[in-house]
Amino acid sequence: MSGVSGTGSAVGEEWGARAARSRALAVLRVRGRALGLAVLPAAVAVVLYAGEVTGHFSGTGWGTARWVVTVLAVVVLLAATAVALVVARARPAATPTVELAETAAPDLYRLVRDLADRLGVPAPAAIALTPDCDSWLEDRTHRAHRAGGETGGAPVLVIGSPFLWWMRVGELRAVLAPVVAGTGPAAHPDIAAARRFVRGLDAAIAVPRTPGLDPVRSLGARGVGQVARVLLRACRGHAAEMERGVAAAGSERAQEVDYGVRIVAQEQVGLAYAGWDRLLTRVALPAWRMGRWPAKLDAGVVSALTELSRRDRLADGFSSRLGERPACDLLEEPGAVDEAASLLAARLFHGGPAAPGPDWSPVEWSQYPEEVVDRKWRTDAARLHQVLDGIEAAAAGPGAPPPTDGPTLTRVIDRLTMTAPGPAVGATTEAAEAPAEAAAGQDDHADLADSAESADFDPLDDLDDDPPPNPAADALAGALSALLAREEAAREARVAAESARGRAAAAAQASDRGATGYEGVGAYEGVSGPDGPLPLFPLQPPRSGRDLLADHVTAMVCCAAVDTAEAVPGLDWLDGPALLLGGERATDLGPRVLSLVEDGDPEPLRDWLARTGVRPEKPVRLV
């Protein structure tokens, strides 16, 4: 039976490799046709000049044709040369990664090389980590990558950093087997040439978006981009099928290595992805918004997935694997690598600065409840009361005394249960006087209104003009959204300024060293910077005003509970910031806050406050 299985694997691998080479040749034929089209006018010109020499094409008409074709050939050749130079020199997009030197992970390099030897394929040139749950081979043989200090030659093996902390050594080997096996087909000259051509076209399309181009160069770049787009469209299907063939060949070759373990390891891949996504959106994102970045995100994945295995019977038994050797033991300094990957994750998913600073500092998990959760609640509560102060000041008019009730929860509840909310922040005097003017002119148009109502009355109009359930919440949510938008714009401006200063300092240091790129820090060689604006991968879409208001009211309730009911801020590994009452998480607060915000009904929240001993009339401490 094993012989039959081995034969089938060999046949599948051979089929995949042949399909990949066939599609690679199709891609190269597109390049050849483009080259032939570029030299066609020059070939016609040569034929015309040869006819003149031999006396076959003589006369005024042939002379004019020779000059026209010659000029056309020169223009086409110059344009083709420009396109070829841009395609060859444009820097292909590279995945932002944490580069691992062999001295930083000798055991991991040894594992990968042993795996390549068992598979009979070339070993990857280097290893890099990415803050994502995926692994792949990335070609960095372009001269721009080599100039940045990245290893040329064979592809670079990119490994998702959460895998190293959650997976065991055997599971990591099984997951990496089909990826490493892809270096075999990738070494074929035709496949390598086709990949370089496709990557060059993809990079050339982005050249027109390069900042700092003058009008002439910008016009030429747009022309080159259009040509590259046409060529890429012509070979896109062949390139996709080529990559499928390479993946099929690598997967078939990897069948011989740890096949049984790989089935179990694939389950861990899906589980790690779920835990990583939950950790980023529920735990890391609140910290990033506070200007703090968790320094041990990958270690947090283990805690999150362990908590998941405790809660979910479907994940039962996964935590028992923690007694085996974790893959992060293959690193010399796991803590330094985890910190670098955590900082890169903050840059990619939130757009944070490239280096720590006064407004962008790391936070340990033990400090998270105090440094992030409590500070987030009090900052949100302060912002909510700032908006309330503005609304009340606009309603009271100039010269009115400031409110005397202080930052209390009662003040928030009373505002959200008002039937006639005051004007929003920034409301003009004309807007405040508009109802009075409308009332003054109401009698003048009463007869006209009655006639219009009798002629065009539509009972469905009342359904379309129903007032919102809680107009006070809408006014407060609008003012809160505007304030948050201003704060976010100011934060982005600060980040852009800090990034510009960091790039200038890095360029100055690189020029002093006589090299370019990032300098190695700690246990890793450096971080390859993201291409394009940050964040590259936003975690969540913009929140609505009602969602923001509910979050801020919840923060106000939590502040009141901490200050008056001996509650404490806590961290839930799957749900993020949590309020702990008597050591237990308060899970029934959310629906009561939504009842107040959405419907203007304070009774469910008041009952909860009375039951837990929270005193809403007491002022809370704000940031």
Side-chain angles (χ1 to χ4, degrees):
M1 180 67 77
S2 60
V4 175
S5 176
T7 303
S9 177
V11 171
E13 178 186 351
E14 181 66 21
W15 176 86
R18 286 186 178 182
R21 287 194 292 269
S22 174
R23 294 295 182 170
L25 291 176
V27 172
L28 296 179
R29 281 195 294 270
V30 173
R31 185 184 66 177
R33 293 190 188 108
L35 179 61
L37 186 62
V39 301
L40 180 60
V44 174
V46 169
V47 171
L48 292 177
Y49 279 106
E52 180 189 14
V53 173
T54 58
H56 290 82
F57 302 146
S58 59
T60 305
W62 287 109
T64 303
R66 279 192 298 271
W67 279 107
V68 171
V69 174
T70 300
V71 172
L72 178 63
V74 171
V75 172
V76 172
L77 286 178
L78 289 176
T81 302
V83 172
L85 287 176
V86 171
V87 171
R89 296 172 63 89
R91 179 189 175 99
T95 304
T97 54
V98 176
E99 313 302 327
L100 277 180
E102 187 168 0
T103 56
D107 293 340
L108 181 59
Y109 272 82
R110 191 177 303 112
L111 181 147
V112 172
R113 289 197 182 103
D114 292 343
L115 186 58
D117 291 340
R118 292 177 61 183
L119 294 170
V121 297
I127 299 176
L129 300 182
T130 182
D132 196 7
C133 292
D134 199 359
S135 298
W136 64 89
L137 292 172
E138 187 165 297
D139 191 345
R140 297 183 181 178
T141 57
H142 193 272
R143 62 173 62 90
H145 295 150
R146 292 197 298 269
E150 301 175 13
T151 305
V156 174
L157 176 61
V158 181
I159 305 174
S161 60
F163 291 164
L164 291 177
W165 270 259
W166 176 244
M167 289 189 173
R168 310 298 99 180
V169 174
E171 294 170 348
L172 181 66
R173 183 191 300 110
V175 168
L176 294 181
V179 182
V180 175
T183 59
H188 193 276
D190 293 335
I191 295 178
R195 282 178 164 176
R196 284 195 301 269
F197 179 60
V198 173
R199 284 197 306 273
L201 293 177
D202 184 69
I205 292 176
V207 169
R209 296 192 294 269
T210 304
L213 293 178
D214 56 72
V216 177
R217 295 176 61 190
S218 178
L219 180 61
R222 284 197 294 269
V224 172
Q226 290 296 331
V227 174
R229 187 172 285 106
V230 171
L231 293 176
L232 187 61
R233 190 180 299 115
C235 62
R236 180 183 300 164
H238 298 301
E241 292 298 330
M242 177 186 68
E243 297 300 337
R244 290 191 184 96
V246 170
S251 179
E252 291 295 337
R253 183 183 289 267
Q255 297 285 345
E256 304 173 0
V257 179
D258 298 333
Y259 180 73
V261 180
R262 183 143 55 99
I263 297 177
V264 178
Q266 289 300 327
E267 299 177 356
Q268 304 304 319
V269 171
L271 189 63
Y273 183 86
W276 181 249
D277 179 75
R278 199 72 177 258
L279 187 72
L280 291 182
T281 56
R282 302 294 182 88
V283 180
L285 190 58
W288 293 339
R289 288 172 176 162
M290 297 299 300
R292 308 295 298 272
W293 51 279
K296 299 293 185 294
L297 276 180
D298 293 309
V301 172
V302 180
S303 299
L305 293 177
T306 303
E307 178 67 16
L308 177 64
S309 66
R310 186 184 67 84
R311 295 185 190 180
D312 193 350
R313 290 181 297 175
L314 296 177
D316 188 23
F318 287 144
S319 59
S320 62
R321 307 162 38 260
L322 301 181
E324 305 173 13
R325 184 191 182 193
C328 63
D329 280 357
L330 301 174
L331 306 175
E332 289 294 305
E333 298 184 27
V337 176
D338 193 1
E339 185 172 349
S342 301
L343 181 58
L344 180 58
R347 294 191 66 199
L348 294 179
F349 300 116
H350 183 64
D359 298 329
W360 187 244
S361 57
V363 60
E364 299 294 334
W365 291 124
S366 59
Q367 303 171 344
Y368 187 94
E370 185 67 25
E371 297 291 332
V372 175
V373 179
D374 186 74
R375 185 180 169 209
K376 174 185 181 300
W377 288 343
R378 299 190 185 279
T379 301
D380 289 351
R383 186 183 297 113
L384 180 60
H385 282 279
Q386 179 183 352
V387 172
L388 286 175
D389 292 341
I391 291 178
E392 292 177 359
T404 59
D405 50 354
T408 64
L409 179 59
T410 300
R411 180 191 185 193
V412 176
I413 295 176
D414 292 343
R415 167 61 60 173
L416 290 174
T417 54
M418 289 179 59
T419 57
V425 178
T428 61
T429 306
E430 291 81 359
E433 295 174 352
E437 295 176 357
Q442 184 175 3
D443 295 337
D444 297 337
H445 302 282
D447 297 336
L448 181 61
D450 291 340
S451 61
E453 182 178 355
S454 60
D456 300 323
F457 174 76
D458 187 356
L460 296 180
D461 289 343
D462 292 339
L463 299 179
D464 297 335
D465 298 333
D466 284 343
N470 192 359
D474 287 339
L476 191 56
L480 191 62
S481 299
L483 179 59
L484 277 171
R486 292 193 296 269
E487 293 180 358
E488 183 65 19
R491 185 194 72 84
E492 291 179 356
R494 290 195 305 270
V495 170
E498 292 176 4
S499 299
R501 288 194 297 268
R503 286 194 298 269
Q509 294 176 2
S511 62
D512 295 338
R513 296 192 307 266
T516 59
Y518 289 88
E519 178 69 11
V521 180
Y524 56 93
E525 285 189 344
V527 177
S528 61
D531 296 326
L534 294 172
L536 293 181
F537 312 104
L539 289 179
Q540 291 182 343
R543 294 171 293 175
S544 66
R546 285 293 184 99
D547 293 336
L548 292 173
L549 179 58
D551 290 344
H552 284 69
V553 174
T554 302
M556 185 63 199
V557 175
C558 293
C559 289
V562 171
D563 291 347
T564 65
E566 297 183 353
V568 294
L571 168 61
D572 187 284
W573 288 107
L574 297 178
D575 294 324
L579 179 67
L580 303 181
L581 290 168
E584 297 292 333
R585 180 187 170 199
T587 59
D588 55 347
L589 176 59
R592 289 164 170 78
V593 171
L594 288 178
S595 177
L596 172 64
V597 172
E598 298 291 343
D599 304 325
D601 182 10
E603 293 308 319
L605 181 59
R606 292 188 190 277
D607 294 342
W608 185 89
L609 296 175
R611 188 177 73 252
T612 55
V614 179
R615 302 182 63 181
E617 73 280 0
K618 292 289 186 179
V620 300
R621 179 172 56 88
L622 303 178
V623 174

